[in-house]
Coordinates of all heavy atoms in Angstrom, one line a residue:
V4 N 114.5 82.0 101.0 CA 113.4 81.1 101.1 C 113.6 80.2 102.2 O 114.7 79.6 102.3 CB 113.2 80.3 99.8 CG1 112.1 79.3 99.9 CG2 113.0 81.2 98.6
M5 N 112.6 80.0 103.1 CA 112.7 79.1 104.2 C 112.3 77.7 103.8 O 111.4 77.6 103.1 CB 111.8 79.6 105.4 CG 112.3 80.8 106.1 SD 111.2 81.2 107.5 CE 111.7 79.9 108.6
D6 N 113.0 76.8 104.3 CA 112.7 75.4 104.1 C 111.7 75.0 105.3 O 112.1 74.8 106.4 CB 113.9 74.5 104.2 CG 113.6 73.0 103.9 OD1 112.4 72.7 103.7 OD2 114.5 72.2 103.9
L7 N 110.4 74.8 105.0 CA 109.4 74.5 106.0 C 109.0 73.0 105.8 O 107.9 72.7 106.1 CB 108.2 75.4 105.9 CG 108.5 76.9 106.2 CD1 107.3 77.7 106.0 CD2 109.1 77.1 107.5
S8 N 109.9 72.2 105.3 CA 109.5 70.8 105.1 C 109.5 70.0 106.4 O 110.1 70.5 107.4 CB 110.5 70.2 104.1 OG 111.8 70.2 104.6
A9 N 109.0 68.9 106.4 CA 108.9 68.0 107.6 C 110.3 67.6 108.0 O 110.6 67.5 109.2 CB 108.1 66.8 107.3
S10 N 111.3 67.5 107.1 CA 112.6 67.2 107.5 C 113.3 68.2 108.3 O 114.2 67.9 109.0 CB 113.5 66.9 106.2 OG 113.6 68.1 105.5
M11 N 112.8 69.4 108.3 CA 113.3 70.5 109.1 C 112.6 70.7 110.4 O 112.8 71.6 111.2 CB 113.3 71.9 108.3 CG 114.1 71.9 107.1 SD 115.9 71.7 107.4 CE 116.2 73.2 108.3
G12 N 111.7 69.7 110.7 CA 111.0 69.7 112.0 C 109.6 70.5 112.0 O 109.0 70.6 113.0
Y13 N 109.2 71.0 110.8 CA 108.0 71.7 110.8 C 106.9 70.8 110.3 O 107.0 70.1 109.3 CB 108.1 72.9 109.8 CG 109.0 74.0 110.2 CD1 110.3 74.0 109.7 CD2 108.7 74.9 111.1 CE1 111.2 75.0 110.1 CE2 109.5 75.9 111.5 CZ 110.8 76.0 111.0 OH 111.7 76.9 111.4
T14 N 105.8 70.7 111.1 CA 104.7 69.9 110.7 C 103.4 70.7 110.6 O 102.3 70.1 110.6 CB 104.5 68.8 111.8 OG1 104.3 69.4 113.1 CG2 105.7 67.8 111.8
Y15 N 103.5 72.0 110.6 CA 102.3 72.8 110.5 C 101.6 72.7 109.1 O 102.2 72.9 108.1 CB 102.7 74.3 110.7 CG 101.5 75.2 110.6 CD1 100.6 75.4 111.7 CD2 101.3 76.0 109.5 CE1 99.6 76.2 111.6 CE2 100.2 76.9 109.4 CZ 99.4 77.0 110.4 OH 98.3 77.8 110.4
R16 N 100.4 72.3 109.2 CA 99.6 72.2 108.0 C 98.1 72.4 108.4 O 97.6 71.6 109.2 CB 99.7 70.8 107.3 CG 98.8 70.7 106.1 CD 99.4 69.6 105.2 NE 98.5 69.1 104.2 CZ 98.0 69.8 103.1 NH1 98.3 71.0 103.0 NH2 97.2 69.2 102.3
Q17 N 97.5 73.4 107.9 CA 96.1 73.7 108.2 C 95.2 73.6 107.0 O 95.5 74.2 106.0 CB 96.0 75.1 108.8 CG 94.6 75.4 109.2 CD 94.5 76.9 109.8 OE1 95.5 77.6 109.8 NE2 93.3 77.2 110.2
E18 N 94.2 72.8 107.1 CA 93.3 72.6 106.0 C 92.3 73.7 106.1 O 91.8 74.1 107.2 CB 92.5 71.3 106.1 CG 93.4 70.1 106.0 CD 94.0 69.9 104.6 OE1 93.3 70.3 103.6 OE2 95.1 69.4 104.4
L19 N 91.9 74.3 105.0 CA 90.8 75.3 104.9 C 89.5 74.6 105.0 O 89.2 73.6 104.4 CB 90.9 76.1 103.6 CG 92.1 77.0 103.5 CD1 92.1 77.7 102.1 CD2 92.2 78.1 104.5
T20 N 88.6 75.3 105.7 CA 87.2 74.8 105.7 C 86.6 75.3 104.4 O 87.1 76.1 103.7 CB 86.4 75.4 106.9 OG1 86.3 76.8 106.7 CG2 87.0 75.0 108.2
K21 N 85.4 74.7 104.0 CA 84.7 75.2 102.8 C 84.4 76.7 102.9 O 84.5 77.4 101.9 CB 83.4 74.4 102.6 CG 83.7 73.0 102.2 CD 82.3 72.2 102.1 CE 82.6 70.8 101.8 NZ 81.3 70.0 101.7
F22 N 84.0 77.1 104.1 CA 83.7 78.6 104.3 C 85.0 79.4 104.0 O 84.9 80.4 103.3 CB 83.2 78.8 105.7 CG 82.8 80.2 106.0 CD1 81.7 80.7 105.5 CD2 83.6 80.9 106.9 CE1 81.3 82.0 105.8 CE2 83.3 82.2 107.2 CZ 82.1 82.8 106.6
E23 N 86.1 79.0 104.6 CA 87.4 79.8 104.4 C 87.8 79.7 103.0 O 88.3 80.7 102.4 CB 88.5 79.2 105.3 CG 88.2 79.5 106.8 CD 89.1 78.6 107.7 OE1 89.6 77.6 107.3 OE2 89.3 79.1 108.8
Y24 N 87.6 78.6 102.3 CA 88.0 78.5 100.9 C 87.1 79.4 100.1 O 87.6 80.0 99.1 CB 87.8 77.0 100.5 CG 88.3 76.7 99.1 CD1 89.6 76.6 98.8 CD2 87.4 76.7 98.0 CE1 90.1 76.3 97.5 CE2 87.8 76.5 96.7 CZ 89.1 76.3 96.5 OH 89.6 76.1 95.2
G25 N 85.8 79.5 100.4 CA 84.9 80.4 99.7 C 85.3 81.8 99.8 O 85.3 82.6 98.9
I26 N 85.8 82.2 101.0 CA 86.3 83.6 101.3 C 87.5 83.9 100.4 O 87.6 84.9 99.8 CB 86.5 83.8 102.8 CG1 85.2 83.8 103.5 CG2 87.3 85.1 103.0 CD1 85.4 83.8 105.0
C27 N 88.4 82.9 100.4 CA 89.7 83.1 99.6 C 89.3 83.2 98.1 O 89.9 84.0 97.4 CB 90.6 81.9 99.8 SG 91.3 81.9 101.5
L28 N 88.4 82.4 97.7 CA 88.0 82.4 96.3 C 87.3 83.7 95.9 O 87.6 84.3 94.9 CB 87.0 81.2 96.0 CG 86.6 81.1 94.6 CD1 87.7 80.9 93.6 CD2 85.6 79.9 94.5
A29 N 86.4 84.2 96.8 CA 85.8 85.5 96.5 C 86.8 86.6 96.5 O 86.7 87.5 95.6 CB 84.7 85.8 97.6
A30 N 87.8 86.6 97.4 CA 88.8 87.6 97.4 C 89.7 87.6 96.1 O 90.0 88.6 95.5 CB 89.7 87.5 98.6
A31 N 90.0 86.4 95.7 CA 90.8 86.2 94.5 C 90.1 86.7 93.2 O 90.6 87.4 92.4 CB 91.3 84.8 94.3
L32 N 88.8 86.3 93.1 CA 88.0 86.8 92.0 C 87.8 88.3 92.0 O 87.9 88.9 90.9 CB 86.7 86.1 92.0 CG 86.7 84.6 91.6 CD1 85.3 84.0 91.8 CD2 87.2 84.4 90.2
A33 N 87.6 88.9 93.1 CA 87.5 90.3 93.2 C 88.7 91.0 92.8 O 88.7 92.0 92.0 CB 87.1 90.7 94.7
Y34 N 89.9 90.5 93.2 CA 91.2 91.0 92.8 C 91.3 91.0 91.3 O 91.7 92.0 90.7 CB 92.3 90.3 93.5 CG 93.7 90.7 93.0 CD1 94.3 91.8 93.6 CD2 94.3 90.0 92.0 CE1 95.6 92.1 93.2 CE2 95.6 90.4 91.6 CZ 96.2 91.4 92.2 OH 97.4 91.8 91.7
L35 N 91.1 89.8 90.7 CA 91.3 89.7 89.3 C 90.3 90.6 88.5 O 90.8 91.2 87.5 CB 91.0 88.2 88.9 CG 92.1 87.2 89.3 CD1 91.6 85.8 89.0 CD2 93.4 87.5 88.6
M36 N 89.1 90.7 88.9 CA 88.1 91.5 88.2 C 88.4 93.0 88.3 O 88.3 93.7 87.3 CB 86.7 91.2 88.6 CG 86.3 89.8 88.2 SD 84.6 89.4 88.7 CE 83.7 90.4 87.6
I37 N 88.8 93.4 89.5 CA 89.1 94.9 89.7 C 90.3 95.2 88.8 O 90.3 96.3 88.2 CB 89.3 95.2 91.2 CG1 87.9 95.2 91.8 CG2 90.0 96.5 91.3 CD1 87.9 95.4 93.3
Y38 N 91.3 94.4 88.8 CA 92.5 94.7 88.0 C 92.3 94.6 86.5 O 93.2 94.9 85.7 CB 93.7 94.0 88.6 CG 94.3 94.7 89.8 CD1 93.8 94.4 91.1 CD2 95.2 95.7 89.7 CE1 94.2 95.1 92.2 CE2 95.7 96.4 90.8 CZ 95.2 96.1 92.0 OH 95.6 96.8 93.1
Q39 N 91.2 94.0 86.1 CA 90.8 94.0 84.7 C 89.8 95.2 84.5 O 89.3 95.3 83.4 CB 90.1 92.7 84.3 CG 91.0 91.5 84.3 CD 90.2 90.3 83.9 OE1 90.3 90.0 82.7 NE2 89.6 89.6 84.8
Q40 N 89.6 96.0 85.5 CA 88.8 97.2 85.4 C 87.3 96.9 85.2 O 86.5 97.6 84.6 CB 89.2 98.2 84.4 CG 90.6 98.7 84.6 CD 91.2 99.6 83.6 OE1 90.6 99.7 82.5 NE2 92.3 100.3 83.8
D41 N 86.9 95.7 85.8 CA 85.5 95.3 85.8 C 84.9 95.7 87.1 O 85.6 95.6 88.2 CB 85.4 93.8 85.6 CG 85.8 93.3 84.2 OD1 85.5 94.1 83.2 OD2 86.3 92.2 84.1
P42 N 83.6 96.1 87.2 CA 83.0 96.4 88.4 C 82.8 95.2 89.3 O 82.4 94.1 88.8 CB 81.7 97.1 88.1 CG 81.5 96.7 86.7 CD 82.8 96.3 86.0
V43 N 83.0 95.3 90.6 CA 82.8 94.2 91.5 C 82.1 94.7 92.7 O 82.4 95.8 93.2 CB 84.2 93.6 92.0 CG1 84.0 92.5 93.0 CG2 85.0 93.1 90.8
G44 N 81.1 93.9 93.2 CA 80.4 94.2 94.4 C 80.4 93.0 95.3 O 80.8 91.9 94.9
L45 N 79.8 93.1 96.5 CA 79.7 92.0 97.4 C 78.5 92.1 98.3 O 78.1 93.2 98.7 CB 81.0 92.1 98.4 CG 81.0 91.0 99.5 CD1 81.3 89.7 98.9 CD2 82.1 91.4 100.5
V46 N 77.8 91.0 98.5 CA 76.7 90.9 99.4 C 77.0 89.7 100.3 O 77.2 88.6 99.8 CB 75.3 90.7 98.7 CG1 74.2 90.5 99.6 CG2 75.0 91.9 97.7
T47 N 76.9 90.0 101.6 CA 77.1 88.9 102.6 C 75.8 88.7 103.3 O 75.1 89.7 103.6 CB 78.2 89.1 103.6 OG1 77.9 90.3 104.3 CG2 79.5 89.3 102.8
C48 N 75.4 87.4 103.6 CA 74.2 87.2 104.3 C 74.3 85.8 105.0 O 75.1 85.0 104.8 CB 73.0 87.1 103.3 SG 73.2 85.8 102.0
D49 N 73.3 85.7 106.0 CA 73.1 84.4 106.6 C 71.6 84.3 106.7 O 70.9 84.1 105.7 CB 73.8 84.3 108.0 CG 73.6 85.4 108.9 OD1 72.6 86.2 108.8 OD2 74.4 85.6 109.8
E50 N 70.9 84.6 107.8 CA 69.5 84.6 107.9 C 68.9 85.9 107.3 O 67.8 86.0 106.9 CB 68.9 84.5 109.3 CG 69.1 83.1 109.9 CD 70.5 82.9 110.5 OE1 71.1 83.9 110.9 OE2 70.9 81.7 110.6
K51 N 69.8 86.9 107.2 CA 69.5 88.2 106.6 C 70.7 88.8 106.0 O 71.8 88.3 106.2 CB 68.9 89.2 107.7 CG 69.8 89.5 108.8 CD 69.1 90.5 109.8 CE 70.1 91.0 110.8 NZ 69.5 92.0 111.7
I52 N 70.5 89.8 105.2 CA 71.6 90.5 104.5 C 72.4 91.2 105.6 O 71.9 92.0 106.3 CB 71.1 91.4 103.4 CG1 70.5 90.6 102.3 CG2 72.3 92.3 102.9 CD1 69.8 91.4 101.2
R53 N 73.7 91.0 105.6 CA 74.6 91.6 106.6 C 75.4 92.8 106.0 O 75.7 93.7 106.7 CB 75.6 90.5 107.1 CG 75.0 89.4 107.8 CD 74.3 89.8 109.1 NE 73.7 88.7 109.7 CZ 73.0 88.8 110.9 NH1 73.0 90.0 111.5 NH2 72.5 87.8 111.4
A54 N 75.9 92.7 104.8 CA 76.7 93.8 104.2 C 76.4 93.8 102.7 O 76.3 92.8 102.1 CB 78.2 93.5 104.4
V55 N 76.4 95.0 102.2 CA 76.2 95.3 100.8 C 77.2 96.3 100.3 O 77.3 97.4 100.9 CB 74.8 95.8 100.4 CG1 74.7 96.1 98.9 CG2 73.7 94.8 100.9
I56 N 78.1 95.9 99.4 CA 79.0 96.8 98.8 C 78.7 96.9 97.3 O 78.8 95.9 96.6 CB 80.5 96.3 98.9 CG1 80.8 96.2 100.4 CG2 81.4 97.3 98.3 CD1 82.1 95.5 100.7
P57 N 78.2 98.1 96.9 CA 77.8 98.2 95.5 C 78.9 98.0 94.5 O 80.1 98.3 94.9 CB 77.2 99.6 95.4 CG 77.0 100.1 96.8 CD 77.9 99.3 97.6
P58 N 78.7 97.5 93.3 CA 79.8 97.3 92.3 C 80.5 98.6 91.9 O 79.8 99.6 91.6 CB 79.1 96.7 91.1 CG 77.7 96.3 91.6 CD 77.4 97.1 92.8
K59 N 81.8 98.5 91.9 CA 82.6 99.6 91.4 C 83.8 98.9 90.7 O 84.2 97.8 91.1 CB 83.1 100.5 92.5 CG 82.1 101.3 93.2 CD 82.7 102.2 94.3 CE 81.6 102.9 95.0 NZ 82.1 103.6 96.2
S60 N 84.5 99.7 89.8 CA 85.7 99.1 89.2 C 86.9 99.8 89.7 O 88.0 99.6 89.1 CB 85.5 99.2 87.7 OG 85.3 100.6 87.3
K61 N 86.8 100.6 90.7 CA 88.0 101.3 91.2 C 88.8 100.4 92.1 O 88.3 99.5 92.8 CB 87.6 102.5 92.1 CG 86.9 103.6 91.2 CD 86.5 104.8 92.1 CE 85.8 105.8 91.2 NZ 85.6 107.0 91.9
R62 N 90.1 100.6 92.1 CA 91.0 99.7 92.9 C 90.8 100.0 94.4 O 91.1 99.1 95.2 CB 92.5 100.0 92.6 CG 92.8 99.5 91.2 CD 94.3 99.6 90.9 NE 94.6 99.1 89.6 CZ 95.7 99.0 89.0 NH1 96.8 99.5 89.7 NH2 95.9 98.5 87.8
S63 N 90.3 101.1 94.8 CA 90.0 101.4 96.2 C 88.8 100.5 96.7 O 88.6 100.4 97.9 CB 89.6 102.8 96.4 OG 88.4 103.2 95.7
Q64 N 88.1 99.8 95.8 CA 87.1 98.9 96.2 C 87.6 97.6 96.9 O 87.0 97.1 97.8 CB 86.3 98.5 94.9 CG 85.2 97.5 95.1 CD 83.9 98.2 95.6 OE1 83.9 99.2 96.2 NE2 82.8 97.6 95.2
L65 N 88.8 97.2 96.5 CA 89.4 96.0 97.0 C 89.6 95.9 98.5 O 89.2 95.0 99.1 CB 90.6 95.6 96.2 CG 91.2 94.2 96.5 CD1 90.2 93.1 96.1 CD2 92.5 94.0 95.7
P66 N 90.2 96.9 99.1 CA 90.4 96.9 100.5 C 89.1 96.9 101.3 O 89.0 96.2 102.3 CB 91.2 98.2 100.8 CG 91.8 98.6 99.6 CD 90.9 98.1 98.5
T67 N 88.1 97.5 100.8 CA 86.8 97.5 101.4 C 86.2 96.1 101.4 O 85.7 95.6 102.5 CB 85.8 98.5 100.7 OG1 86.4 99.8 100.7 CG2 84.5 98.5 101.4
M68 N 86.3 95.5 100.3 CA 85.8 94.1 100.2 C 86.6 93.1 101.0 O 86.0 92.3 101.7 CB 85.8 93.6 98.7 CG 84.8 94.4 97.9 SD 84.8 93.9 96.2 CE 84.1 92.2 96.4
L69 N 87.9 93.3 101.0 CA 88.7 92.3 101.8 C 88.5 92.5 103.3 O 88.5 91.5 104.0 CB 90.2 92.6 101.5 CG 90.7 92.2 100.0 CD1 92.1 92.5 99.8 CD2 90.4 90.8 99.7
S70 N 88.2 93.7 103.7 CA 87.9 93.9 105.1 C 86.6 93.2 105.5 O 86.6 92.6 106.6 CB 87.8 95.4 105.4 OG 87.4 95.7 106.7
V71 N 85.6 93.3 104.7 CA 84.3 92.6 105.0 C 84.6 91.1 105.0 O 84.1 90.4 105.9 CB 83.2 93.1 104.0 CG1 82.0 92.2 104.1 CG2 82.9 94.5 104.2
L72 N 85.3 90.6 104.0 CA 85.5 89.2 103.9 C 86.3 88.7 105.1 O 86.1 87.6 105.6 CB 86.2 88.8 102.6 CG 85.4 89.0 101.3 CD1 86.2 88.9 100.1 CD2 84.2 88.0 101.3
A73 N 87.3 89.4 105.5 CA 88.2 89.0 106.6 C 87.4 88.9 107.9 O 87.8 88.2 108.8 CB 89.3 90.0 106.8
N74 N 86.3 89.7 108.1 CA 85.6 89.7 109.3 C 84.4 88.8 109.3 O 83.6 88.8 110.3 CB 85.2 91.1 109.6 CG 86.4 92.0 110.0 OD1 87.2 91.6 110.9 ND2 86.5 93.1 109.3
L75 N 84.2 88.0 108.3 CA 83.1 87.1 108.3 C 83.3 85.9 109.2 O 84.4 85.5 109.5 CB 82.9 86.5 106.8 CG 82.4 87.5 105.8 CD1 82.4 86.7 104.4 CD2 81.1 88.0 106.1
K76 N 82.2 85.5 109.8 CA 82.2 84.3 110.8 C 81.2 83.3 110.3 O 80.2 83.6 109.8 CB 81.9 84.8 112.2 CG 83.0 85.8 112.7 CD 82.6 86.2 114.1 CE 83.7 86.9 114.8 NZ 84.0 88.2 114.5

């Protein structure tokens, strides 16, 4: 385990924006639901719908969703 405390000279601390926090929350919820074998889907939008991933309960759904979430701007 690395000691990343300020006493070791590390001062890196990045606050998440509300948008980034929402992405992390969506990813965490998707993970939990898929591993409970519940179907999970995703719709992203701004002025129009950008991506639609229909609900599935397969574990292969998670990488697809994480890829879409990672590329949101």
Side-chain angles (χ1 to χ4, degrees):
V4 177
M5 288 184 70
D6 182 3
L7 297 178
S8 63
S10 65
M11 295 299 292
Y13 294 98
T14 58
Y15 178 77
R16 177 156 163 69
Q17 180 180 2
E18 296 291 328
L19 292 177
T20 65
K21 289 179 186 179
F22 182 72
E23 293 165 336
Y24 186 80
I26 290 171
C27 291
L28 183 59
L32 289 173
Y34 174 85
L35 290 173
M36 292 182 70
I37 286 173
Y38 280 86
Q39 292 183 92
Q40 299 177 349
D41 292 327
V43 178
L45 178 70
V46 176
T47 62
C48 61
D49 49 24
E50 288 85 27
K51 63 179 184 175
I52 294 175
R53 298 292 179 178
V55 176
I56 301 173
K59 293 182 186 174
S60 56
K61 296 183 179 184
R62 289 185 181 183
S63 62
Q64 179 84 331
L65 190 58
T67 305
M68 292 181 66
L69 294 178
S70 175
V71 169
L72 289 170
N74 291 308
L75 291 176
K76 294 181 170 80

